[in-house]
Amino acid sequence: MKTELLLNFTVDKENKKIHVEREFAASIAKVWAAWTQKELLEQWWAPKPWKARTKEMDFSEGGHWLYAMVGPEGEEHWARMDYKSITAQKSYSALDFFCDENGKPSDFLPGSQWLTSFKETSNNTIVDVLLTFNELSDLEKHIEMGFKEGFLMAFENLDEVLEHQQ
């Protein structure tokens, strides 16, 4: 019997924030690795049938992850995450935005600030993600584009990755 893992997804339009809290049945070391190593990120970040493909990855303060979400027909949607601060196995903050294949920010699609925190509880790890937007319209565009559904589907992929990780 599979135990129910914590999941909270809230949208705070007044403060232009999306808050996602999700529990994973794995140690903090495994969960941290899955969020910070391209070989693991590529296995779960995109909701199926999409795939994530990394062009560049430097998980360090001042570094970035440039990647494409690749659809079943080969279509690509590029994004970049610029890492601002990192405290190993505790948290990282980043600026996430849509871009072209060279990392140039999109003029049309919204970006957001991310604060991703990790907390171990007995045999599990809780990941807390707080997205902050500059404008309410940016938050609303993110939701309209299916962020909630896609992110929650990606978490199911992560469950599978963690289950098979040594």
Side-chain angles (χ1 to χ4, degrees), residues 7-105:
L7 168 64
N8 291 312
F9 189 104
T10 56
V11 176
D12 177 358
K13 289 188 176 186
E14 186 178 337
N15 293 301
K16 301 177 286 222
K17 296 181 187 296
I18 296 175
H19 182 220
V20 186
E21 189 178 35
R22 174 66 149 73
E23 185 176 13
F24 295 95
S27 70
I28 199 165
K30 287 182 178 181
V31 176
W32 177 261
W35 283 77
T36 61
Q37 295 175 12
K38 72 177 179 181
E39 299 80 12
L40 295 172
L41 272 166
E42 288 180 340
Q43 294 178 46
W44 71 268
W45 188 256
K48 291 176 185 169
W50 291 71
K51 304 266 186 221
R53 187 182 71 235
T54 298
K55 182 175 181 180
E56 300 169 355
M57 174 90 176
D58 174 11
F59 184 74
S60 65
E61 292 182 359
H64 67 269
W65 179 34
L66 176 60
Y67 63 96
M69 300 282 254
V70 183
E73 307 297 319
E75 63 273 35
E76 297 178 343
H77 296 283
W78 287 89
R80 179 172 161 151
M81 187 168 284
D82 288 351
Y83 300 108
K84 303 296 181 194
S85 66
I86 298 170
T87 304
Q89 295 192 9
K90 295 230 182 281
S91 67
Y92 68 84
S93 65
L95 174 63
D96 183 66
F97 54 92
F98 294 97
C99 61
D100 67 16
E101 67 276 3
N102 298 310
K104 181 182 179 290

